[in-house]
């Protein structure tokens, strides 16, 4: 059984959808192509064409007999599959510029509840491939605070959960940073375990913030900076309603924005 309550899990998911689409409830039809090599990025939590994630999401949609599944099938077969799918085939960037495919993805999200609806294809896909591993990673490192979970889940979304889950580097990098973590001062070593978790989570997020700053995803440090401020403001519990700063100006050249996540937002986020 998860160490987190349903409300805590929902809050972590709301933060991730905010980082990915600007909305705590997510935007199921949100589709962009960024200059980061991912190809098409799509959905509430922005899975990508070139990670193999879009193939897996459309496979889930086909399993649910979505209205547009038949029309999407020729495109699905062209998409890149990574080792998670258990298959081989597809080509990276093959559909990145295909306007018909992109329009069909957005049409499915706009018109078919099986693509956009509560607990349906997108939610099931992200739960299985990203949130369940994030919960497991928290168990592995003994993390029990909701903001720690949010930081781990966001890491899984952005970098993939790790090789143990057949994709990505999140857990592996966390383990590397854990191995170099200096720990608390000796006088704090036997203190409240919550204090130890907070110190470890801050260290982990600082390492990730620095790592992002050294690569092509430097612009995405709005998410790590925002969560570091939340940690500094002792918002670990993520009890709704809570307000935080979405730091856009420094990294995206848009004005910073204050966002409040409410109980209504939590209720509109998928449940498992």
């Amino acid at each position: 059984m998860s160490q987190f309550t349903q409300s805590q899990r929902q809050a972590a998911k709301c933060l991730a959808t905010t980082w990915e689409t600007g909305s705590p409830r997510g935007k199921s039809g949100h589709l962009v192509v960024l200059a980061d090599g991912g190809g098409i990025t799509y959905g509430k939590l922005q899975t990508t064409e070139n990670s193999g994630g879009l193939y897996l999401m459309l496979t889930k949609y086909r399993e649910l007999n979505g209205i547009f599944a038949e029309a999407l099938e020729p495109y699905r077969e062209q998409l890149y599959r990574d080792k998670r799918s258990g298959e081989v085939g597809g080509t990276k960037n093959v559909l990145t510029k295909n306007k018909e495919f992109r329009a069909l993805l957005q049409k499915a999200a706009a018109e078919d509840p099986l693509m956009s609806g509560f607990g349906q294809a997108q939610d099931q896909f992200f739960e299985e491939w990203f949130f369940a591993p994030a919960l497991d990673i928290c168990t592995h490192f003994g993390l029990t605070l909701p903001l720690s979970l949010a930081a781990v889940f966001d890491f899984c979304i952005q970098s993939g959960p790790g090789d143990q889950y057949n994709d990505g580097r999140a857990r592996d990098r966390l383990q590397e940073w854990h191995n170099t973590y200096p720990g608390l001062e000796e006088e704090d070593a036997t203190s409240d375990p919550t204090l130890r978790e907070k110190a470890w989570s801050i260290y982990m997020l600082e390492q990730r913030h620095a790592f992002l700053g050294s690569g092509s995803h430097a612009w995405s440090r709005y998410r790590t900076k925002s969560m570091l401020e939340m940690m500094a403001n002792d918002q670990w519990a993520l009890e709704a309603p809570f307000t935080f700063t979405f730091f856009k100006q420094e990294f995206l050249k848009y004005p910073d924005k204050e966002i409040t996540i409410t109980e209504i937002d939590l209720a509109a986020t998928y449940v498992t």
Side-chain angles (χ1 to χ4, degrees), residues 68 99 104 116 125 135 141 144-145 181 189 212 215 235 239:
F68 298 95
K99 294 180 180 180
L104 191 55
S116 62
F125 164 71
L135 290 173
F141 289 107
T144 62
L145 297 171
Y181 174 53
L212 288 173
Q235 292 180 284
E239 293 180 348

Side-chain angles (χ1 to χ4, degrees), residues 6 59 98 111 114 153 168 171 184-185:
Q6 176 177 302
T59 299
N98 189 303
E111 299 182 15
L114 288 175
F153 181 43
R171 175 166 175 161
L184 292 171
E185 295 295 330

